Structures are given as structure tokens and as C-alpha cells.
Amino acid sequence: MVKIAPSLLSADFGNLARDIERVKTADWLHIDVMDGSFVSNITIGVPVVKSIRKITDMFLDVHLMIEKPSRYISAFADAGADLLSIHLEADMPPGIQEALRIMDEKQVKKGIVLRPITSAEAVLPYLEQVDLVLVMTVEPGFGGQAFMEDQLSKIAAIRRYIEQYHPGCYLQVDGGVDPKTAKQVIEAGADVLVAGSAIYGASDVEAAIAALRGDQRK
Ligand code: DX5
Ligand code: ZN
């Protein structure tokens, strides 16, 4: 059964509590942190994650689109994140290892993220020690972009690496996921789907979550 992680980026930031409640039939809550440097946009920071933690028991999946993420791992862990994912392009390998080490120390789950340009093989040095690999199917920075079909072969390649080196590691996909592309990424091997506009842009949010799971009955 795939997990669905609604992206709060498409929620109404003036009504976060309401919009978190609206997606309670989903599995995880995906929170996009952007620093205006790794990506041009600026979104949510530590205090907002802390406030979200107080109002929900949902699993907080925090996607860090920030340069040199090791600087902020402790702060986001202390704010209540359950999983932190960091971009492999955001630092040199020793910095990535340091960020993963702090996640271990803080006992949060560890994720690594690949921009569309980054190849599947880039996960290999880290795969055995992480809980999740996230493949971006849009350029990170904004919601509502078109799904990049050329990433499907990368998802399939990483699924093969996971089966070989770390069965049980989650394979998450983020960007342009809707009921049609959800089917494609699940076939390619993804098991956690992030969706912003396909969920919050729908008139019936619960039905939209069910549709991403492949359930047409709702
Ligand atoms: C983009 C973010 C995504 C974004 C997805 O950088 O990482 O999580 O919210 O939005 P949709 O599902 O609308 O493409
Ligand atoms: Zn994201």
C-alpha cells in the first residue's frame, strides 16, 4: 500500500490548522522548507514546524531545500520533525555525512533527495544508511509544475538498488503527482507519493487522496 504525503506548500498558509485537518486521511504531512538560496523561493522555517507539531500527530516529513543542511538538522529535529530529507546537491559529501550523523544523534528518520539532473548512482554511497530516497520529478522550488516523465527510469533504477542494498528503504516521489502520474510512479517502484496541487486544488480532498492511491470508488 503506497503512502500519500500531502504537500503543505499548496495549503492556505493563513489556515494551516484547517488545511492539516483536511488531509487527515493521508499518511504523512510533507513540509517544504526553502531558503531562497538552494532554491529561489522562501517558505517555512523552524518556528512553523514547531507550531505544526503542536496541532497534529501526523508523521512530519520535512523536505529541506537549503544549502549546507547540517547547520539546521538539530533545530528541525527539536521542532518535532519525524523525518528530514536533504538534497545531495546541497553540500559536499562530508557535509551530507555530517547531516546524516546529526539525524542519527537526534533519532529522526533520514532521507536523501535528488534533483532531476542528479543520477540514480548518486544514492549508492548513502543508500544503506538512509530510511528514504526522494526523487524530484520537477525542479524543486514551486508547486504546480508539470511532471517530468524522464525521471521514471531513474525511479526504476533506484527501486532496483533498494531491493539489492536496502530493502525496506522508502522510495518517495515529489512533483507533478496526480492520479495519472501516480500510477506511472507506482509502476516504476515508488511507495510514498507527495502531492500538493492534486490534493489541495481538488474540490473533494479526501477523494483526491483516495484517487492517488488508485482507489476510484470515492
Ligand atoms: C516543490 C516541492 C513539492 C511541491 C509539490 O519543490 O518539493 O513538494 O509542493 O507540488 P505539486 O504536487 O503541486 O507538484
Ligand atoms: Zn517537497
Side-chain angles (χ1 to χ4, degrees), residues 7 9 30-34 61-65 85 87 113 134 136 140-141 172-175 194:
S7 170
L9 192 59
H30 184 84
I31 303 176
D32 290 298
V33 173
M34 305 186 190
D61 158 29
V62 178
H63 175 190
L64 298 177
M65 284 159 275
S85 54
H87 273 265
V113 194
L134 166 53
M136 291 305 300
Q172 185 178 50
V173 172
D174 182 7
V194 176

Side-chain angles (χ1 to χ4, degrees), residues 104-122:
D104 269 338
E105 198 175 278
K106 289 287 177 179
Q107 297 185 315
V108 291
K109 292 208 183 305
K110 308 184 287 286
I112 50 171
V113 194
L114 286 75
R115 290 186 103 126
I117 189 79
T118 304
S119 67
E121 297 77 54

Side-chain angles (χ1 to χ4, degrees), residues 21 71 104:
E21 173 69 18
R71 299 174 295 158
D104 269 338

